[in-house]
Amino acid sequence: MNSEVLPELSSLLEQLKSDVLVMEKLGDSIMHELEMAEEEVCSAWLAYYNKAMEFCGSSASDIKTKQAGARVGAPVDPNAVVHGCTDVWVDEMRYRMAVAFLSSVWEKCSSELSKLFLSMKDAECNRRNRIKELLIKATQRQERLWLGLPGVVTPILKDLIEWPMERKIVEDDVQSSIRARAQSIQRDETEHKKADDSTVKAAGLTGVNMKDGNFELSSPLVSDLMSRAKVIEKRGTGLMSTWKVTLAIVTEDSFLQLFDLPSSCKLHPGSAPEVAFQNLIPPVIVPSLEGIKGGIKIPSAKTWFDNLAPTESFVLSNCTVSIKDVTAKDPNTFELSEALSGKMMARTRKMQFRAVTREEAVDFVEALKKSK
C-alpha cells in the first residue's frame, strides 16, 4: 500500500495544489485587469465631465478666459495669446477609448474565465477518475490480503465500481459548488455594500442596466467636438527635420491635435483617418492560463493609452497659416505659426504640413482658418 497507492495519492495532491494555485492566480489577474479597466473609465469620465461642465453654457469670451487660466469676468484682450489651454475633445476621446478598452477587456476576460471554468471541470474529472482507480486498486489489494473477509470487501468493491463518473454528473456537481460559492459571495457583498453618493450620474446612462458591463460608444472621430480629421505629413523648421506621416484633427474648440503614427504603421498621406486612428490603438491583452504558466507579464492598462495622447497641440486662435503659391516648387505645402508666451519674451513655434494634392491643402487650410 505504501509503495503503490500512497505515492500516487501524494503526487495527485501536489498536482491539485499546483492547479489550484495557477487557477487562483489567473482569476486574481483577470479581476485585477477588469478593475483597472473600470478605474480608467471612471477617471476618464470624471475628467471629461468636469471639463465639459466647466465650459458648458459659457460664451466664447468666457471660454477663452478659462482656457487662459484667468478669472471669469476679468477683462480679456481678444488679441491676447492663449496659454495653458486644454481641449474638451481630448478628454472626450480619452473617455470614449477607455469605454472601448473596458468593453474589449470584458469580452476577452469573459472568454478566459470560461476557459478557466472548463479547465477546472477537466481537472476535477481527471482527479476523481484517478482517485477511483487508486481506490479500486487499493481495495483489490486488500481483497487479496483479506480473503477471510469477503462479506465486507465485496459490497465495498461493488459500490466503487458502480460509482458514477459520467462527465455530466461531475460537471453538474462542480457547477453547483461554484454557484453556491458565488451566491455566498454575492450575499456578503450585498450586506456590506454602501451607497456612493459621490457617483456622477449622467442623463445618457438613464435606464442602462448597471449589471451589464459591456457598453459600446461611437468612435471619437464622429464626435460633435471634432470638425476635421486628415492624414497628412508634417515637418519641423530645423535643417535636419524630415517629413513624418501624422493624423491631424481639428476640433470645435479651435485646436489642432497631431498624433504621430507608430513606426510599424505603413499608412501614407491621404489614408482614411479611421484607419490611422485604429493604428494608434494597441491590441488588448488579458491574463490567460497559458500566460500564467509561461510567466508572461501583462502590460499595465495605462500603457494602452500611450499613443492616444496628442504628440503636439496647436491653439488655432494663436496661429497664422500660410500656403505656398501655386507656382511654388511644392504647392501642396502650408505652414502653421503659433505665438507662444514666454517668461522673458514672446516666441513663435512653426511647423510645415504637406497634403497629397493642392486642393486638399487648400481645403485643410480653410478648415484651420474657419476654426480660429
Side-chain angles (χ1 to χ4, degrees):
M1 180 71 72
N2 291 338
S3 60
E4 295 181 10
V5 177
L6 289 182
E8 293 196 44
L9 282 175
S10 298
S11 175
L12 192 62
L13 176 61
E14 293 302 319
Q15 181 63 40
L16 177 62
K17 289 180 178 179
S18 176
D19 290 343
V20 169
L21 185 63
V22 171
M23 292 174 185
E24 287 180 347
K25 189 174 181 181
L26 175 59
D28 291 342
S29 299
I30 289 176
M31 293 305 300
H32 175 72
E33 197 70 19
L34 285 171
E35 290 171 356
M36 290 295 294
E38 289 179 350
E39 288 177 5
E40 285 293 329
V41 172
C42 293
S43 175
W45 165 250
L46 286 177
Y48 171 45
Y49 178 84
N50 292 334
K51 187 62 61 60
M53 292 302 295
E54 181 182 354
F55 289 93
C56 182
S58 301
S59 64
S61 176
D62 286 344
I63 288 177
K64 187 169 183 179
T65 303
K66 292 176 182 179
Q67 288 176 332
R71 178 175 57 85
V72 175
V76 179
D77 181 1
N79 297 318
V81 174
V82 178
H83 60 87
C85 50
T86 53
D87 189 357
V88 180
W89 177 83
V90 174
D91 291 292
E92 186 203 43
M93 179 270 292
R94 172 85 179 196
Y95 169 62
R96 288 175 182 265
M97 298 314 298
V99 173
F101 175 68
L102 174 60
S103 176
S104 183
V105 169
W106 187 281
E107 182 179 347
K108 292 195 174 186
C109 284
S110 296
S111 175
E112 291 300 329
L113 285 174
S114 297
K115 294 179 183 178
L116 176 60
F117 287 142
L118 182 61
S119 66
M120 291 170 60
K121 293 176 181 178
D122 288 339
E124 182 63 11
C125 287
N126 294 333
R127 186 182 71 87
R128 292 192 183 189
N129 281 321
R130 187 56 186 149
I131 290 176
K132 176 182 178 180
E133 293 174 0
L134 291 175
L135 288 175
I136 292 175
K137 185 177 181 180
T139 304
Q140 289 174 338
R141 180 175 176 82
Q142 292 295 331
E143 185 180 26
R144 290 195 301 269
L145 295 175
W146 301 339
L147 293 177
L149 299 173
V152 175
V153 174
T154 301
I156 295 177
L157 185 60
K158 181 176 180 294
D159 290 341
L160 288 174
I161 294 175
E162 295 176 353
W163 189 9
M165 281 293 147
E166 288 79 3
R167 183 178 182 88
K168 186 178 185 308
I169 296 177
V170 177
E171 287 185 353
D172 291 343
D173 192 13
V174 173
Q175 192 69 32
S176 177
S177 299
I178 293 174
R179 187 181 296 107
R181 178 56 180 161
Q183 291 174 348
S184 175
I185 294 174
Q186 188 176 22
R187 285 194 298 268
D188 292 340
E189 289 180 348
T190 303
E191 292 175 0
H192 296 88
K193 186 176 181 181
K194 296 181 180 179
D196 187 0
D197 297 332
S198 61
T199 301
V200 178
K201 294 185 178 180
L205 295 179
T206 302
V208 172
N209 183 7
M210 293 303 176
K211 294 182 179 180
D212 184 4
N214 197 1
F215 298 102
E216 294 287 349
L217 296 180
S218 55
S219 167
L221 297 186
V222 299
S223 168
D224 293 335
L225 297 175
M226 193 203 76
S227 60
R228 185 66 62 91
K230 197 166 190 62
V231 179
I232 57 177
E233 291 179 291
K234 71 170 187 178
R235 183 177 68 178
T237 55
L239 295 176
M240 303 300 293
S241 299
T242 58
W243 291 106
K244 294 181 180 179
V245 180
T246 186
L247 173 62
I249 293 178
V250 182
T251 68
E252 290 293 334
D253 288 329
S254 301
F255 286 86
L256 173 63
Q257 307 288 0
L258 301 179
F259 295 84
D260 283 352
L261 300 177
S263 56
S264 59
C265 178
K266 303 302 181 183
L267 296 181
H268 52 79
S271 298
E274 294 80 5
V275 177
F277 190 80
Q278 285 297 321
N279 277 270
L280 298 174
I281 306 174
V284 175
I285 302 176
V286 300
S288 64
L289 198 58
E290 296 78 9
I292 293 295
K293 292 181 178 180
I296 300 175
K297 187 176 180 180
I298 303 299
S300 170
K302 295 186 180 297
T303 62
W304 192 81
F305 298 91
D306 287 349
N307 292 333
L308 295 174
T311 309
E312 294 180 273
S313 298
F314 287 85
V315 185
L316 295 179
S317 58
N318 297 338
C319 297
T320 57
V321 58
S322 58
I323 187 169
K324 286 190 176 183
D325 189 75
V326 68
T327 60
K329 181 180 179 181
D330 197 352
N332 308 341
T333 303
F334 57 94
E335 184 177 83
L336 198 64
S337 179
E338 181 184 19
L340 303 174
S341 60
K343 294 182 178 180
M344 301 297 295
M345 58 187 300
R347 56 191 180 89
T348 302
R349 176 173 61 148
K350 295 183 178 181
M351 183 163 291
Q352 294 180 342
F353 299 90
R354 185 169 65 184
V356 178
T357 63
R358 170 76 178 182
E359 290 73 18
E360 291 184 4
V362 172
D363 180 65
F364 199 74
V365 167
E366 290 300 322
L368 292 175
K369 291 180 178 180
K370 183 179 178 181
S371 298
K372 291 184 62 175

